[in-house]
């Protein structure tokens, strides 16, 4: 198992400025921050990207870029803007969305799936030339909304610079989560961590500590060779205090320690 380090997705705090987010991440003793392209580091805004990079470097934080490039809806030019920004940010990884957002994978024809794979492959080759890896969001209503679809897509892309994120669909039972990561684990770069139920109600991460310890313990070895991050994404009430508590829990989980008083929620992820 490749070890994960604690990190944060800034979509968790869309309304907070970058400086406050960096301060929170440093206080929480995180290792990295993934910056949202639709909130904090817009694509093409390399001046902001460089400023955020300096903030992160001063705090000892690595960076990833959470873009909303969604091939084939978005073409190669969209990737170029996002990639330039990622490089200015000092990000070693860029997240893109596989397929048209808000569209179920079952609605794609074989031709559309091939077009998506071809577009991702082209984008991955360009990112590789800049030393940036490409990770595909693992999310409902994309081509990774179902494990079989995600696996067939990554096999069709067939490019060594393309990886998968992983996160449980809200309310995903633990046995199904373990089945998913067993099938796609070799392709997983980073993961998103949260505690939601099937209705997207948010809970303290401590309430799902056993769930996440089980997931991490079962995570297969990956072809990913860089540092891996378990990124906190969303907290109860969008509250910085809740985030700091969740970050403390996440650090304990990653060390395979059980937080005192925590209990498992096997069907809430």
């Amino acid at each position: 198992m490749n070890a994960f380090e604690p990190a944060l997705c800034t979509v968790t705090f869309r309304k907070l400025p970058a400086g406050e987010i960096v301060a929170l991440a440093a206080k929480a003793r995180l290792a990295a921050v993934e910056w949202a392209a639709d909130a904090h580091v817009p694509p093409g805004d390399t001046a902001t990207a460089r400023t955020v990079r300096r903030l992160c470097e001063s705090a000892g934080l690595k960076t990833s870029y959470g873009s909303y490039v969604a091939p084939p809806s978005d073409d190669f030019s969209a990737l170029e803007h996002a990639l330039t920004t990622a490089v200015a940010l000092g990000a070693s990884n860029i997240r893109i969305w596989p397929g048209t957002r808000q569209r179920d994978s079952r609605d794609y024809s074989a031709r559309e799936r091939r077009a998506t794979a071809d577009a991702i492959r082209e984008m991955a080759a360009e990112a590789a030339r800049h030393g940036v890896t490409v990770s595909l969001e693992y999310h409902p209503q994309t081509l990774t909304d179902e494990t079989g679809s995600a696996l067939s897509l990554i096999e069709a892309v067939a490019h060594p610079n393309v990886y998968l994120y992983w996160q449980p669909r809200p309310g995903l039972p633990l046995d199904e989560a373990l089945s998913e990561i067993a099938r796609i684990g070799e392709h997983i770069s980073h993961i998103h961590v949260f505690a939601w139920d099937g209705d997207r109600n948010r809970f303290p991460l401590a309430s799902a500590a056993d769930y996440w310890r089980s997931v991490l313990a079962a995570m297969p070895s990956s072809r990913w060779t860089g540092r891996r991050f378990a990124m906190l994404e969303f907290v109860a009430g969008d509250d910085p205090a809740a985030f700091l508590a969740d970050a403390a829990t996440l650090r304990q989980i990653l060390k395979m320690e059980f937080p005192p008083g925590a209990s498992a929620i096997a069907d809430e992820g």
Side-chain angles (χ1 to χ4, degrees), residues 69-76 96-101 103-105 107-124 134 136-137 141-144 149-150 152-159 162:
V69 175
S73 298
D74 292 321
D75 61 16
F76 192 78
I96 67 174
W97 289 69
T100 302
R101 295 178 67 194
R103 185 181 180 190
D104 293 336
S105 64
D107 294 337
Y108 283 75
S109 67
R111 180 184 60 79
E112 289 174 318
R113 293 184 69 95
R114 285 194 298 272
T116 304
D118 291 345
I120 292 171
R121 189 182 311 110
E122 181 183 18
M123 291 179 177
V134 171
L136 306 181
E137 180 75 355
Q141 292 192 297
T142 69
L143 279 170
T144 54
S149 177
S152 65
L153 176 62
I154 198 119
E155 290 175 346
V157 172
H159 196 287
V162 180

Side-chain angles (χ1 to χ4, degrees), residues 17-86:
E20 290 187 30
I21 291 174
V22 169
L24 277 171
K27 185 176 181 178
R29 291 185 286 156
L30 302 185
V33 176
E34 179 165 278
W35 293 93
D38 66 344
H40 299 105
V41 184
D45 189 349
T46 55
T48 293
R50 286 191 290 269
T51 296
V52 171
R53 176 179 185 169
R54 288 192 292 270
L55 288 171
C56 288
E57 288 177 345
S58 67
L61 294 164
K62 296 296 183 181
T63 58
S64 178
Y65 190 47
S67 88
Y68 288 85
V69 175
S73 298
D74 292 321
D75 61 16
F76 192 78
S77 64
L79 183 279
E80 289 180 311
H81 289 300
L83 185 57
T84 299
T85 308

